[in-house]
């Protein structure tokens, strides 16, 4: 088995192109800034006790040698150390024509299990904002949902096509089925669900305790009111749902006395629900909002 503690056993000879020259480090710092100041590799290094955001990217070969030494001296398992070195070798592979295979060769020689390779490759693609390739790796069935909150936040906030395209974020959610530990990740994911599929968002909200459920339900109603051009179709999807007694109460409370009362579409939603529940059935009421359907 390869001795990964020897620098020269891990990295290409000094004569090869260095991914951590001025241009390379500048590109990495640009990605870091665009991802809110923290890369996924920063989080991994932090778990090794290596300063977040200061050790990576290393500055030239001397910086790489220093980082290699810090990794090898960290108090974690060999698998975790080898995983980080594998990530660094992906940087080397990336800058060489034809994508060299240093990372894969290193993994084979050190016996790094496939799931560790898949996970680190997924994080590497996240750090390059290559989200499509990232989730192809990070949703592999062999992987735990590690960094699920941070991955979800990045995918919702940094859509590669438009701010309202949640395709990749929802693809990750459906495939990985993560359990969120932060309110930020939960709120962002629910916002994406609410703007995309009312029924699915409602079902999702029902997984949580009452207080959180109420907040999510109100957020769902708010998301419908925020898109007046889709009020008819999306509103119909909500008012036609079999709401629980609590949800019915929250619906009326939010629209009559809560923040929803300020929206132009409030009366429309209330009338639509009234018709569905039989509380309002006159032709005149239907005509009032027929144009929204």
């Amino acid at each position: 088995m390869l001795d990964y503690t020897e620098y020269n056993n891990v990295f290409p000879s000094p004569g090869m192109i260095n991914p951590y020259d001025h241009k390379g480090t500048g590109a990495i710092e640009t990605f870091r800034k665009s991802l809110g100041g923290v890369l996924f590799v920063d989080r991994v290094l932090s778990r090794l006790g290596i300063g977040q955001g200061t050790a990576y990217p290393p500055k030239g070969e001397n910086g790489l040698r220093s980082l290699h030494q810090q990794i090898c001296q960290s108090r974690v398992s060999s698998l975790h150390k080898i995983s980080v070195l594998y990530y660094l070798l992906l940087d080397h592979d990336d800058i060489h024509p034809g994508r060299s295979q240093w990372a894969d060769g290193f993994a084979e020689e050190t016996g790094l299990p496939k799931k560790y390779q898949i996970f680190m490759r997924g994080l590497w693609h996240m750090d390059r904002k290559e989200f499509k390739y990232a989730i192809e790796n990070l949703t592999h069935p062999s992987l735990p949902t590690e960094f699920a909150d941070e991955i979800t936040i990045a995918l919702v906030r940094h859509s590669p096509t438009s701010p309202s395209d949640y395709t990749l974020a929802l693809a990750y959610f459906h495939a990985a089925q993560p359990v969120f530990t932060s309110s930020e990740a939960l709120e962002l994911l629910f916002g994406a669900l609410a703007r995309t599929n009312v029924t699915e968002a409602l079902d999702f909200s029902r997984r949580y305790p009452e207080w959180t459920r109420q907040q999510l339900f109100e957020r769902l109603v708010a998301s419908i009111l925020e898109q007046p051009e889709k009020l008819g179709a999306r509103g119909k999807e909500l008012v036609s749902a079999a709401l629980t007694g609590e949800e019915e109460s929250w619906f009326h409370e939010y629209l009559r006395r809560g923040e929803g009362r300020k929206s132009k579409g409030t009366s429309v939603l209330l009338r639509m629900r009234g018709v569905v529940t039989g509380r309002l059935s006159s032709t005149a009421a239907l005509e009032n909002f027929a144009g929204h359907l």
Side-chain angles (χ1 to χ4, degrees):
M1 180 172 163
L2 182 75
D3 181 4
Y4 66 87
T5 64
E6 286 291 333
Y7 176 89
N8 292 329
N9 288 345
V10 179
F11 296 102
S13 62
M16 302 298 293
I17 301 174
N18 190 322
Y20 307 120
D21 58 13
H22 180 73
K23 180 180 178 181
T25 56
I28 291 170
E29 291 296 351
T30 298
F31 283 126
R32 175 180 279 126
K33 184 177 180 180
S34 70
L35 288 170
V38 184
L39 295 170
F40 283 89
V41 71
D42 294 333
R43 297 182 173 101
V44 175
L45 288 170
S46 181
R47 292 186 176 185
L48 272 64
I50 299 173
Q52 181 173 295
T54 59
Y56 180 89
K59 305 301 187 288
E61 187 184 354
N62 288 337
L64 182 58
R65 284 182 178 274
S66 175
L67 179 55
H68 171 262
Q69 184 178 29
Q70 291 180 72
I71 292 169
C72 292
Q73 292 176 347
S74 62
R75 296 182 178 181
V76 296
S77 70
S78 293
L79 284 177
H80 287 91
K81 296 175 185 179
I82 293 170
S83 295
V84 180
L85 296 174
Y86 175 83
Y87 179 105
L88 298 177
L89 285 170
L90 289 173
D91 285 342
H92 286 76
D93 285 343
D94 187 51
I95 65 167
H96 289 85
R99 295 297 293 269
S100 58
Q101 301 297 313
W102 279 309
D104 288 345
F106 174 74
E108 183 176 351
E109 291 187 67
T110 54
L112 183 65
K114 196 69 177 177
K115 69 177 183 179
Y116 286 83
Q117 299 176 46
I118 295 169
F119 181 63
M120 296 307 295
R121 189 177 289 274
L123 296 185
W124 187 88
H125 283 299
M126 285 295 298
D127 285 341
R128 267 73 191 159
K129 299 180 74 172
E130 297 172 353
F131 298 138
K132 178 177 182 296
Y133 299 113
I135 64 172
E136 286 176 1
N137 287 275
L138 295 171
T139 56
H140 192 276
S142 69
L143 299 183
T145 54
E146 197 164 4
F147 295 128
D149 288 55
E150 293 85 355
I151 290 168
T152 299
I153 290 168
L155 292 175
V156 172
R157 285 183 169 172
H158 305 285
S159 170
T161 53
S162 73
S164 60
D165 183 0
Y166 305 112
T167 304
L168 294 178
L170 295 178
Y172 172 74
F173 167 72
H174 289 132
Q177 288 295 300
V179 176
F180 300 118
T181 59
S182 72
S183 58
E184 182 181 12
L186 174 60
E187 290 168 6
L188 285 172
L189 188 280
F190 186 77
L193 279 174
R195 294 182 184 91
T196 307
N197 188 313
V198 172
T199 301
E200 186 176 7
L202 181 60
D203 290 342
F204 177 82
S205 71
R206 290 170 173 169
R207 302 179 187 181
Y208 291 88
E210 183 177 338
W211 171 242
T212 303
R213 270 185 62 206
Q214 181 177 356
Q215 289 183 308
L216 294 177
F217 183 84
E218 291 176 352
R219 186 70 197 90
L220 174 58
V221 179
S223 76
I224 293 171
L225 294 172
E226 288 166 1
Q227 295 179 298
E229 72 282 1
K230 298 180 181 179
L231 180 63
R234 284 167 49 75
K236 183 178 180 181
E237 192 176 351
L238 177 63
V239 302
S240 299
L243 300 182
T244 66
E246 291 171 325
E247 290 164 348
E248 188 75 33
S249 175
W250 297 336
F251 178 82
H252 287 279
E253 181 69 22
Y254 180 75
L255 292 177
R256 294 181 188 280
R257 287 175 285 277
E259 288 297 314
R261 74 186 188 282
K262 304 174 183 178
S263 300
K264 292 182 179 179
T266 295
S267 60
V268 174
L269 278 185
L270 287 168
R271 289 181 183 133
M272 290 170 72
R273 183 62 181 171
V275 170
V276 169
T277 59
R279 296 191 184 98
L280 184 68
S281 57
S282 70
T283 302
L286 287 168
E287 288 175 349
N288 272 334
F289 62 83
H292 293 273
L293 299 175

